Amino acid sequence: MEKARRLGGDAFYSQIFKLVLPIIIQNLLSAAVSSADVVMLNYVGQSSISAVSLAAQYASVLFMVFYGLGTGVTILCAQYYGKGDMRAIQVVEGIALRFSIPIALGFALAALLMPERMMLLFTNDRELIAIGASYLRYMSVSYLCWGIIEIYLATLRSINRVVICTVLNVLAFSLNILFNAVWIFGLFGAPKLGAMGVAMATSLSRLIELGACVVVSLLSKDVHLNLRYLFVRNKSLFSDFVRLSLPALGNDVSWSVAFSMYSVIIGHLGTDAVAANSFVIVVRNFGTILCFGMANAGGILLGNIIGENKLEEARAGAKKLMKLTVITGAAGGLIILAAMPLVMTYTGESLTEQAMYFLRNMLLINIYYVMGAAVNTTLIAGVFRAGGDSRFGFICDTIDMWCYAVPLGFVAAFVFKLPVMWVYFLLCTDEFVKWPWVIKHYRSGKWLNNITRDELFAAEEK
């Protein structure tokens, strides 16, 4: 089996770019689909854009759940891949599926049976609730498929099969955009379904992607999508997965729910603010593509190196990764700046003058915001987790979001009743507040640990 090479000098950069390019393509496609939803719904109306933007916050929370579970998979599987233990990787995949499938089923049932109640959390506008509820009902199928797909793809990425993951994502995202066009514009004689059509397109493309994962699994020589792994027991691996995944899961869910509270705050400041924020989210997603790609690729590569017990090499690799992070953060800000004229021109006819004012200033704020996100994401979700340290990020993000950002936003909006842009500005200080603690933890080196076990299955059989 191919193993990580010694990565001194330029070799680290060569290896990380081999990983990061496919991951960036995946992130780009994901952002493109979100953009396509907003762009196409722009022809339906501002209410549809706002409703889908609010309803999609549930998908964001669910994504963070799967991302957290996938992080546990990546942490363990990347190190065991460096160690050369494929059996352990299969067991970890099964453990993760035991968590992801019931969670996905719960979200799917909630979206199918009580979507109106789910929408009430974000808005009291009856029109937005009705549109969002129809969207959530048809999204329920995609939630269930997602719970299986994300764990399998996380396993493939951890063993450096990122190209296969990219091909699967290209298939799903291309079909999503095609089906969006069919049901939004009524192509090929199909009915025009608006927001409901967007949800149907997502669910159908997810079903096809799941089928493609099964085909890839049957042809794979490494890791299979086999539900029998659900029933393989190993106390040591289960303990390690829970110990590493639960803080990561708690971190991602806590951060995601808190970030959704931003939408709750903005959602009660008027439809103009909601509509503007809908476009800002899309542009910011493009601006952070490089940052998240670098964090994911860096985490996988560092995990492989640590699994080979080359700790000093991993420490040197983390320093190189931080240099790349500063570059990608600056590049993300420039992407947002370059996109501003296009976005303002495109939205000029669909948004009100007030919404356009919010949009312009929100985009300006995000030019600097992505740098804060880049550093924290690379360290917390990439470097620290590669070394088996998921607890620090959970504590840091929970305190930052729930003790600082969310209360500040609610007080600014509903107690002091500050203008919308001041509320938004204050919300966007969250990433910079935690910089001192995150950087200090990085410099301490406490995150660097080899978490693999020797004679894992021999010990289990005794």
Side-chain angles (χ1 to χ4, degrees), residues 221-281:
K221 296 180 181 179
D222 297 313
V223 176
H224 304 282
L225 181 55
N226 193 331
L227 295 183
R228 286 184 298 179
Y229 296 160
L230 285 163
F231 306 104
V232 177
R233 305 292 176 179
N234 186 288
K235 292 181 180 179
S236 298
L237 279 177
F238 185 84
S239 174
D240 287 344
F241 182 83
V242 170
R243 178 173 56 84
L244 296 169
S245 286
L246 287 187
L249 175 60
N251 185 181
D252 294 333
V253 171
S254 176
W255 183 90
S256 180
V257 173
F259 206 75
S260 294
M261 290 298 103
Y262 292 10
S263 294
V264 171
I265 295 168
I266 294 172
H268 286 81
L269 296 178
T271 56
D272 287 329
V274 173
N277 191 49
S278 301
F279 284 99
V280 170
I281 290 172

Short mmCIF file of all heavy atoms in Angstrom, two decimals, residues 221-281:
data_model
loop_
_atom_site.label_atom_id
_atom_site.label_comp_id
_atom_site.label_asym_id
_atom_site.label_seq_id
_atom_site.Cartn_x
_atom_site.Cartn_y
_atom_site.Cartn_z
N LYS A 221 -10.88 -1.59 -4.36
CA LYS A 221 -10.01 -2.60 -3.75
C LYS A 221 -9.67 -2.24 -2.30
O LYS A 221 -9.10 -3.05 -1.58
CB LYS A 221 -8.72 -2.72 -4.55
CG LYS A 221 -8.90 -3.22 -5.98
CD LYS A 221 -7.57 -3.31 -6.70
CE LYS A 221 -7.75 -3.78 -8.13
NZ LYS A 221 -6.45 -3.84 -8.87
N ASP A 222 -10.02 -1.02 -1.89
CA ASP A 222 -9.60 -0.54 -0.58
C ASP A 222 -10.72 -0.56 0.45
O ASP A 222 -10.75 -1.38 1.36
CB ASP A 222 -9.04 0.89 -0.69
CG ASP A 222 -7.80 0.95 -1.55
OD1 ASP A 222 -6.90 0.12 -1.34
OD2 ASP A 222 -7.74 1.83 -2.41
N VAL A 223 -11.68 0.36 0.28
CA VAL A 223 -12.74 0.53 1.26
C VAL A 223 -14.09 0.41 0.57
O VAL A 223 -14.31 1.01 -0.48
CB VAL A 223 -12.63 1.91 1.95
CG1 VAL A 223 -13.79 2.12 2.91
CG2 VAL A 223 -11.32 2.00 2.72
N HIS A 224 -14.98 -0.35 1.16
CA HIS A 224 -16.29 -0.61 0.56
C HIS A 224 -17.40 0.05 1.38
O HIS A 224 -17.26 0.27 2.59
CB HIS A 224 -16.55 -2.10 0.46
CG HIS A 224 -15.49 -2.83 -0.31
ND1 HIS A 224 -15.42 -2.83 -1.67
CD2 HIS A 224 -14.43 -3.57 0.13
CE1 HIS A 224 -14.38 -3.54 -2.07
NE2 HIS A 224 -13.75 -4.00 -0.99
N LEU A 225 -18.49 0.37 0.72
CA LEU A 225 -19.69 0.87 1.40
C LEU A 225 -20.53 -0.36 1.74
O LEU A 225 -21.42 -0.75 1.00
CB LEU A 225 -20.45 1.83 0.50
CG LEU A 225 -21.73 2.46 1.08
CD1 LEU A 225 -21.44 3.17 2.39
CD2 LEU A 225 -22.35 3.42 0.09
N ASN A 226 -20.21 -0.96 2.86
CA ASN A 226 -20.82 -2.24 3.23
C ASN A 226 -21.51 -2.07 4.58
O ASN A 226 -20.86 -1.80 5.59
CB ASN A 226 -19.73 -3.32 3.31
CG ASN A 226 -20.31 -4.72 3.39
OD1 ASN A 226 -21.41 -4.91 3.91
ND2 ASN A 226 -19.59 -5.69 2.87
N LEU A 227 -22.83 -2.24 4.58
CA LEU A 227 -23.59 -2.05 5.82
C LEU A 227 -23.26 -3.12 6.86
O LEU A 227 -23.63 -2.96 8.04
CB LEU A 227 -25.08 -2.04 5.52
CG LEU A 227 -25.57 -0.87 4.65
CD1 LEU A 227 -27.09 -0.92 4.48
CD2 LEU A 227 -25.16 0.47 5.25
N ARG A 228 -22.57 -4.18 6.47
CA ARG A 228 -22.16 -5.17 7.47
C ARG A 228 -21.15 -4.59 8.45
O ARG A 228 -21.01 -5.09 9.57
CB ARG A 228 -21.56 -6.40 6.76
CG ARG A 228 -22.59 -7.29 6.08
CD ARG A 228 -21.95 -8.52 5.49
NE ARG A 228 -20.98 -8.18 4.45
CZ ARG A 228 -20.26 -9.08 3.79
NH1 ARG A 228 -20.37 -10.37 4.07
NH2 ARG A 228 -19.40 -8.71 2.85
N TYR A 229 -20.43 -3.55 8.02
CA TYR A 229 -19.48 -2.90 8.93
C TYR A 229 -20.18 -2.32 10.15
O TYR A 229 -19.56 -2.09 11.19
CB TYR A 229 -18.73 -1.78 8.21
CG TYR A 229 -17.83 -2.23 7.07
CD1 TYR A 229 -17.43 -1.32 6.09
CD2 TYR A 229 -17.38 -3.54 6.96
CE1 TYR A 229 -16.60 -1.71 5.04
CE2 TYR A 229 -16.56 -3.94 5.93
CZ TYR A 229 -16.18 -3.02 4.97
OH TYR A 229 -15.36 -3.41 3.93
N LEU A 230 -21.50 -2.05 10.01
CA LEU A 230 -22.26 -1.51 11.14
C LEU A 230 -22.22 -2.45 12.34
O LEU A 230 -22.35 -2.01 13.49
CB LEU A 230 -23.71 -1.28 10.73
CG LEU A 230 -24.02 -0.08 9.84
CD1 LEU A 230 -25.39 -0.23 9.19
CD2 LEU A 230 -23.98 1.20 10.66
N PHE A 231 -22.06 -3.73 12.09
CA PHE A 231 -22.20 -4.73 13.15
C PHE A 231 -20.85 -5.29 13.61
O PHE A 231 -20.82 -6.21 14.43
CB PHE A 231 -23.10 -5.86 12.66
CG PHE A 231 -24.42 -5.37 12.14
CD1 PHE A 231 -24.66 -5.30 10.78
CD2 PHE A 231 -25.41 -4.93 13.01
CE1 PHE A 231 -25.87 -4.83 10.29
CE2 PHE A 231 -26.62 -4.46 12.54
CZ PHE A 231 -26.86 -4.40 11.17
N VAL A 232 -19.75 -4.74 13.08
CA VAL A 232 -18.42 -5.16 13.52
C VAL A 232 -18.09 -4.43 14.82
O VAL A 232 -18.15 -3.19 14.88
CB VAL A 232 -17.35 -4.86 12.46
CG1 VAL A 232 -15.96 -5.26 12.98
CG2 VAL A 232 -17.66 -5.60 11.17
N ARG A 233 -17.73 -5.17 15.85
CA ARG A 233 -17.49 -4.58 17.17
C ARG A 233 -16.00 -4.53 17.49
O ARG A 233 -15.28 -5.51 17.27
CB ARG A 233 -18.21 -5.39 18.25
CG ARG A 233 -19.71 -5.57 18.00
CD ARG A 233 -20.45 -4.26 18.13
NE ARG A 233 -21.87 -4.41 17.80
CZ ARG A 233 -22.74 -3.43 17.84
NH1 ARG A 233 -22.33 -2.21 18.22
NH2 ARG A 233 -24.00 -3.62 17.52
N ASN A 234 -15.56 -3.40 17.98
CA ASN A 234 -14.20 -3.26 18.49
C ASN A 234 -14.22 -2.18 19.55
O ASN A 234 -14.37 -0.99 19.24
CB ASN A 234 -13.22 -2.91 17.37
CG ASN A 234 -11.78 -2.92 17.84
OD1 ASN A 234 -11.35 -2.04 18.56
ND2 ASN A 234 -11.03 -3.94 17.42
N LYS A 235 -14.09 -2.57 20.80
CA LYS A 235 -14.24 -1.63 21.91
C LYS A 235 -13.21 -0.51 21.87
O LYS A 235 -13.52 0.65 22.16
CB LYS A 235 -14.15 -2.37 23.25
CG LYS A 235 -15.33 -3.30 23.51
CD LYS A 235 -15.18 -3.99 24.87
CE LYS A 235 -16.35 -4.92 25.13
NZ LYS A 235 -16.22 -5.62 26.43
N SER A 236 -11.99 -0.85 21.51
CA SER A 236 -10.92 0.15 21.50
C SER A 236 -11.18 1.22 20.45
O SER A 236 -11.08 2.43 20.72
CB SER A 236 -9.57 -0.51 21.25
OG SER A 236 -9.26 -1.41 22.27
N LEU A 237 -11.54 0.78 19.23
CA LEU A 237 -11.81 1.75 18.16
C LEU A 237 -13.07 2.55 18.44
O LEU A 237 -13.13 3.75 18.16
CB LEU A 237 -11.94 1.03 16.81
CG LEU A 237 -10.63 0.67 16.11
CD1 LEU A 237 -10.90 -0.09 14.83
CD2 LEU A 237 -9.81 1.94 15.82
N PHE A 238 -14.09 1.89 18.99
CA PHE A 238 -15.31 2.61 19.34
C PHE A 238 -15.02 3.68 20.38
O PHE A 238 -15.49 4.82 20.27
CB PHE A 238 -16.38 1.65 19.86
CG PHE A 238 -17.70 2.30 20.13
CD1 PHE A 238 -18.62 2.49 19.11
CD2 PHE A 238 -18.02 2.75 21.40
CE1 PHE A 238 -19.84 3.10 19.35
CE2 PHE A 238 -19.23 3.36 21.67
CZ PHE A 238 -20.15 3.54 20.63
N SER A 239 -14.22 3.33 21.37
CA SER A 239 -13.85 4.29 22.41
C SER A 239 -13.08 5.46 21.82
O SER A 239 -13.35 6.63 22.15
CB SER A 239 -13.02 3.59 23.48
OG SER A 239 -12.54 4.51 24.44
N ASP A 240 -12.13 5.15 20.93
CA ASP A 240 -11.34 6.22 20.30
C ASP A 240 -12.21 7.10 19.43
O ASP A 240 -12.07 8.33 19.42
CB ASP A 240 -10.22 5.61 19.44
CG ASP A 240 -9.10 5.02 20.29
OD1 ASP A 240 -9.04 5.35 21.49
OD2 ASP A 240 -8.30 4.24 19.75
N PHE A 241 -13.14 6.48 18.68
CA PHE A 241 -14.01 7.26 17.80
C PHE A 241 -14.89 8.20 18.60
O PHE A 241 -15.04 9.38 18.26
CB PHE A 241 -14.88 6.33 16.95
CG PHE A 241 -15.77 7.06 15.98
CD1 PHE A 241 -15.28 7.46 14.75
CD2 PHE A 241 -17.09 7.36 16.30
CE1 PHE A 241 -16.09 8.16 13.85
CE2 PHE A 241 -17.91 8.03 15.42
CZ PHE A 241 -17.41 8.43 14.19
N VAL A 242 -15.47 7.69 19.67
CA VAL A 242 -16.33 8.53 20.51
C VAL A 242 -15.52 9.65 21.15
O VAL A 242 -15.94 10.82 21.16
CB VAL A 242 -17.02 7.68 21.59
CG1 VAL A 242 -17.71 8.57 22.62
CG2 VAL A 242 -18.03 6.73 20.95
N ARG A 243 -14.33 9.31 21.64
CA ARG A 243 -13.48 10.31 22.31
C ARG A 243 -13.06 11.43 21.35
O ARG A 243 -12.96 12.59 21.75
CB ARG A 243 -12.24 9.61 22.87
CG ARG A 243 -11.24 10.53 23.54
CD ARG A 243 -10.14 9.73 24.22
NE ARG A 243 -9.46 8.82 23.31
CZ ARG A 243 -8.45 9.18 22.52
NH1 ARG A 243 -8.01 10.44 22.53
NH2 ARG A 243 -7.87 8.31 21.72
N LEU A 244 -12.83 11.08 20.09
CA LEU A 244 -12.39 12.08 19.11
C LEU A 244 -13.55 12.73 18.37
O LEU A 244 -13.52 13.92 18.07
CB LEU A 244 -11.45 11.42 18.11
CG LEU A 244 -10.13 10.88 18.69
CD1 LEU A 244 -9.41 10.02 17.66
CD2 LEU A 244 -9.25 12.02 19.15
N SER A 245 -14.58 11.93 18.07
CA SER A 245 -15.68 12.45 17.25
C SER A 245 -16.64 13.32 18.02
O SER A 245 -17.14 14.33 17.50
CB SER A 245 -16.46 11.29 16.61
OG SER A 245 -15.74 10.72 15.57
N LEU A 246 -16.95 12.92 19.25
CA LEU A 246 -17.95 13.70 20.00
C LEU A 246 -17.53 15.15 20.22
O LEU A 246 -18.35 16.05 20.03
CB LEU A 246 -18.27 13.01 21.32
CG LEU A 246 -19.13 11.75 21.22
CD1 LEU A 246 -19.53 11.25 22.60
CD2 LEU A 246 -20.38 11.98 20.37
N PRO A 247 -16.27 15.43 20.61
CA PRO A 247 -15.89 16.84 20.69
C PRO A 247 -15.94 17.53 19.32
O PRO A 247 -16.37 18.68 19.22
CB PRO A 247 -14.45 16.79 21.22
CG PRO A 247 -14.35 15.49 21.93
CD PRO A 247 -15.22 14.55 21.15
N ALA A 248 -15.51 16.82 18.25
CA ALA A 248 -15.56 17.40 16.91
C ALA A 248 -17.00 17.64 16.49
O ALA A 248 -17.34 18.69 15.93
CB ALA A 248 -14.86 16.49 15.90
N LEU A 249 -17.85 16.66 16.75
CA LEU A 249 -19.27 16.79 16.44
C LEU A 249 -19.89 17.92 17.25
O LEU A 249 -20.63 18.76 16.71
CB LEU A 249 -19.99 15.46 16.73
CG LEU A 249 -21.51 15.44 16.57
CD1 LEU A 249 -21.89 15.80 15.14
CD2 LEU A 249 -22.06 14.07 16.93
N GLY A 250 -19.58 17.93 18.55
CA GLY A 250 -20.09 19.01 19.40
C GLY A 250 -19.59 20.36 18.93
O GLY A 250 -20.34 21.35 18.91
N ASN A 251 -18.32 20.42 18.52
CA ASN A 251 -17.73 21.66 18.01
C ASN A 251 -18.49 22.14 16.78
O ASN A 251 -18.93 23.30 16.70
CB ASN A 251 -16.27 21.39 17.67
CG ASN A 251 -15.51 22.63 17.23
OD1 ASN A 251 -14.32 22.55 16.92
ND2 ASN A 251 -16.14 23.78 17.19
N ASP A 252 -18.67 21.25 15.80
CA ASP A 252 -19.28 21.64 14.54
C ASP A 252 -20.77 21.97 14.69
O ASP A 252 -21.26 22.92 14.10
CB ASP A 252 -19.10 20.53 13.50
CG ASP A 252 -17.64 20.35 13.12
OD1 ASP A 252 -16.87 21.32 13.23
OD2 ASP A 252 -17.25 19.23 12.75
N VAL A 253 -21.47 21.17 15.51
CA VAL A 253 -22.89 21.45 15.72
C VAL A 253 -23.07 22.73 16.52
O VAL A 253 -23.93 23.57 16.20
CB VAL A 253 -23.57 20.26 16.43
CG1 VAL A 253 -25.00 20.63 16.83
CG2 VAL A 253 -23.59 19.04 15.51
N SER A 254 -22.28 22.89 17.57
CA SER A 254 -22.36 24.10 18.39
C SER A 254 -22.10 25.34 17.54
O SER A 254 -22.84 26.33 17.62
CB SER A 254 -21.35 24.03 19.54
OG SER A 254 -21.34 25.23 20.29
N TRP A 255 -21.04 25.28 16.72
CA TRP A 255 -20.72 26.40 15.84
C TRP A 255 -21.82 26.63 14.82
O TRP A 255 -22.24 27.77 14.57
CB TRP A 255 -19.39 26.14 15.13
CG TRP A 255 -18.95 27.26 14.26
CD1 TRP A 255 -18.17 28.33 14.62
CD2 TRP A 255 -19.25 27.45 12.87
NE1 TRP A 255 -17.98 29.16 13.54
CE2 TRP A 255 -18.63 28.65 12.46
CE3 TRP A 255 -20.00 26.72 11.95
CZ2 TRP A 255 -18.74 29.13 11.16
CZ3 TRP A 255 -20.11 27.19 10.65
CH2 TRP A 255 -19.48 28.39 10.27
N SER A 256 -22.32 25.53 14.22
CA SER A 256 -23.34 25.65 13.17
C SER A 256 -24.65 26.21 13.71
O SER A 256 -25.27 27.08 13.10
CB SER A 256 -23.58 24.29 12.53
OG SER A 256 -24.56 24.38 11.52
N VAL A 257 -25.08 25.70 14.87
CA VAL A 257 -26.33 26.19 15.46
C VAL A 257 -26.18 27.66 15.85
O VAL A 257 -27.08 28.48 15.62
CB VAL A 257 -26.75 25.35 16.67
CG1 VAL A 257 -27.94 25.97 17.38
CG2 VAL A 257 -27.08 23.92 16.24
N ALA A 258 -25.03 28.00 16.40
CA ALA A 258 -24.78 29.40 16.76
C ALA A 258 -24.77 30.27 15.51
O ALA A 258 -25.34 31.38 15.51
CB ALA A 258 -23.45 29.52 17.50
N PHE A 259 -24.15 29.78 14.44
CA PHE A 259 -24.11 30.54 13.19
C PHE A 259 -25.51 30.68 12.61
O PHE A 259 -25.85 31.69 11.99
CB PHE A 259 -23.18 29.87 12.18
CG PHE A 259 -22.60 30.82 11.17
CD1 PHE A 259 -21.59 31.71 11.52
CD2 PHE A 259 -23.07 30.84 9.87
CE1 PHE A 259 -21.06 32.59 10.60
CE2 PHE A 259 -22.55 31.71 8.94
CZ PHE A 259 -21.54 32.60 9.30
N SER A 260 -26.35 29.64 12.83
CA SER A 260 -27.75 29.73 12.40
C SER A 260 -28.50 30.79 13.20
O SER A 260 -29.46 31.39 12.70
CB SER A 260 -28.44 28.37 12.56
OG SER A 260 -27.88 27.41 11.69
N MET A 261 -28.07 31.01 14.42
CA MET A 261 -28.68 32.06 15.23
C MET A 261 -28.45 33.44 14.59
O MET A 261 -29.25 34.35 14.76
CB MET A 261 -28.12 32.05 16.65
CG MET A 261 -28.54 30.87 17.50
SD MET A 261 -30.34 30.78 17.76
CE MET A 261 -30.77 29.49 16.58
N TYR A 262 -27.35 33.55 13.84
CA TYR A 262 -27.15 34.79 13.10
C TYR A 262 -28.30 35.01 12.13
O TYR A 262 -28.80 36.14 11.96
CB TYR A 262 -25.83 34.73 12.29
CG TYR A 262 -24.56 34.72 13.09
CD1 TYR A 262 -24.56 34.56 14.47
CD2 TYR A 262 -23.34 34.86 12.46
CE1 TYR A 262 -23.38 34.54 15.20
CE2 TYR A 262 -22.14 34.84 13.18
CZ TYR A 262 -22.17 34.68 14.54
OH TYR A 262 -21.00 34.67 15.25
N SER A 263 -28.72 33.90 11.47
CA SER A 263 -29.84 34.00 10.53
C SER A 263 -31.15 34.29 11.27
O SER A 263 -32.03 34.97 10.73
CB SER A 263 -29.97 32.70 9.72
OG SER A 263 -28.86 32.52 8.88
N VAL A 264 -31.28 33.76 12.48
CA VAL A 264 -32.47 34.07 13.30
C VAL A 264 -32.51 35.57 13.58
O VAL A 264 -33.55 36.22 13.44
CB VAL A 264 -32.45 33.27 14.61
CG1 VAL A 264 -33.56 33.75 15.54
CG2 VAL A 264 -32.59 31.78 14.33
N ILE A 265 -31.36 36.11 13.99
CA ILE A 265 -31.28 37.54 14.29
C ILE A 265 -31.59 38.37 13.04
O ILE A 265 -32.43 39.26 13.06
CB ILE A 265 -29.89 37.89 14.84
CG1 ILE A 265 -29.66 37.21 16.19
CG2 ILE A 265 -29.72 39.40 14.98
CD1 ILE A 265 -28.22 37.25 16.68
N ILE A 266 -30.91 38.04 11.94
CA ILE A 266 -31.11 38.79 10.69
C ILE A 266 -32.53 38.58 10.17
O ILE A 266 -33.15 39.51 9.62
CB ILE A 266 -30.06 38.37 9.64
CG1 ILE A 266 -28.67 38.79 10.12
CG2 ILE A 266 -30.36 38.99 8.28
CD1 ILE A 266 -27.54 38.25 9.26
N GLY A 267 -33.07 37.35 10.35
CA GLY A 267 -34.42 37.05 9.87
C GLY A 267 -35.49 37.90 10.52
O GLY A 267 -36.57 38.10 9.94
N HIS A 268 -35.23 38.40 11.72
CA HIS A 268 -36.19 39.25 12.41
C HIS A 268 -35.90 40.74 12.21
O HIS A 268 -36.54 41.59 12.83
CB HIS A 268 -36.22 38.92 13.90
CG HIS A 268 -36.91 37.62 14.21
ND1 HIS A 268 -36.26 36.40 14.08
CD2 HIS A 268 -38.18 37.34 14.61
CE1 HIS A 268 -37.10 35.43 14.42
NE2 HIS A 268 -38.26 35.97 14.74
N LEU A 269 -34.94 41.04 11.33
CA LEU A 269 -34.63 42.44 11.02
C LEU A 269 -35.24 42.89 9.70
O LEU A 269 -35.00 44.01 9.26
CB LEU A 269 -33.11 42.64 10.98
CG LEU A 269 -32.38 42.41 12.31
CD1 LEU A 269 -30.88 42.59 12.13
CD2 LEU A 269 -32.90 43.33 13.40
N GLY A 270 -36.01 41.99 9.06
CA GLY A 270 -36.71 42.37 7.83
C GLY A 270 -36.28 41.55 6.63
O GLY A 270 -35.19 40.98 6.59
N THR A 271 -37.16 41.46 5.64
CA THR A 271 -36.89 40.66 4.44
C THR A 271 -35.74 41.25 3.62
O THR A 271 -35.06 40.51 2.90
CB THR A 271 -38.13 40.55 3.56
OG1 THR A 271 -38.60 41.86 3.23
CG2 THR A 271 -39.25 39.79 4.28
N ASP A 272 -35.53 42.56 3.68
CA ASP A 272 -34.41 43.17 2.94
C ASP A 272 -33.08 42.64 3.46
O ASP A 272 -32.18 42.30 2.67
CB ASP A 272 -34.44 44.70 3.07
CG ASP A 272 -35.56 45.33 2.25
OD1 ASP A 272 -35.91 44.75 1.21
OD2 ASP A 272 -36.07 46.38 2.67
N ALA A 273 -32.94 42.57 4.78
CA ALA A 273 -31.71 42.05 5.36
C ALA A 273 -31.53 40.57 5.04
O ALA A 273 -30.42 40.12 4.74
CB ALA A 273 -31.72 42.26 6.88
N VAL A 274 -32.62 39.80 5.08
CA VAL A 274 -32.56 38.37 4.77
C VAL A 274 -32.14 38.14 3.33
O VAL A 274 -31.28 37.30 3.03
CB VAL A 274 -33.92 37.69 5.05
CG1 VAL A 274 -33.89 36.24 4.57
CG2 VAL A 274 -34.24 37.74 6.54
N ALA A 275 -32.76 38.88 2.40
CA ALA A 275 -32.45 38.72 0.98
C ALA A 275 -30.98 39.08 0.70
O ALA A 275 -30.29 38.37 -0.03
CB ALA A 275 -33.38 39.58 0.14
N ALA A 276 -30.51 40.16 1.29
CA ALA A 276 -29.12 40.56 1.09
C ALA A 276 -28.17 39.50 1.63
O ALA A 276 -27.19 39.12 0.99
CB ALA A 276 -28.86 41.91 1.77
N ASN A 277 -28.48 39.00 2.83
CA ASN A 277 -27.63 37.99 3.44
C ASN A 277 -27.62 36.70 2.63
O ASN A 277 -26.62 35.97 2.62
CB ASN A 277 -28.11 37.70 4.86
CG ASN A 277 -27.14 36.85 5.65
OD1 ASN A 277 -25.95 37.13 5.69
ND2 ASN A 277 -27.64 35.81 6.29
N SER A 278 -28.71 36.39 1.92
CA SER A 278 -28.76 35.20 1.08
C SER A 278 -27.68 35.24 0.02
O SER A 278 -27.00 34.24 -0.25
CB SER A 278 -30.14 35.06 0.42
OG SER A 278 -31.16 34.99 1.38
N PHE A 279 -27.51 36.39 -0.62
CA PHE A 279 -26.48 36.53 -1.65
C PHE A 279 -25.08 36.58 -1.02
O PHE A 279 -24.12 36.06 -1.59
CB PHE A 279 -26.74 37.79 -2.49
CG PHE A 279 -27.86 37.63 -3.48
CD1 PHE A 279 -29.13 38.11 -3.20
CD2 PHE A 279 -27.64 36.98 -4.68
CE1 PHE A 279 -30.16 37.96 -4.10
CE2 PHE A 279 -28.67 36.82 -5.59
CZ PHE A 279 -29.94 37.31 -5.31
N VAL A 280 -24.98 37.21 0.14
CA VAL A 280 -23.68 37.30 0.81
C VAL A 280 -23.16 35.92 1.16
O VAL A 280 -21.96 35.63 1.00
CB VAL A 280 -23.79 38.18 2.08
CG1 VAL A 280 -22.51 38.08 2.91
CG2 VAL A 280 -24.05 39.62 1.70
N ILE A 281 -24.04 35.04 1.64
CA ILE A 281 -23.63 33.68 2.00
C ILE A 281 -23.03 32.97 0.80
O ILE A 281 -22.01 32.29 0.89
CB ILE A 281 -24.83 32.89 2.56
CG1 ILE A 281 -25.23 33.44 3.94
CG2 ILE A 281 -24.51 31.40 2.65
CD1 ILE A 281 -26.51 32.86 4.48
#
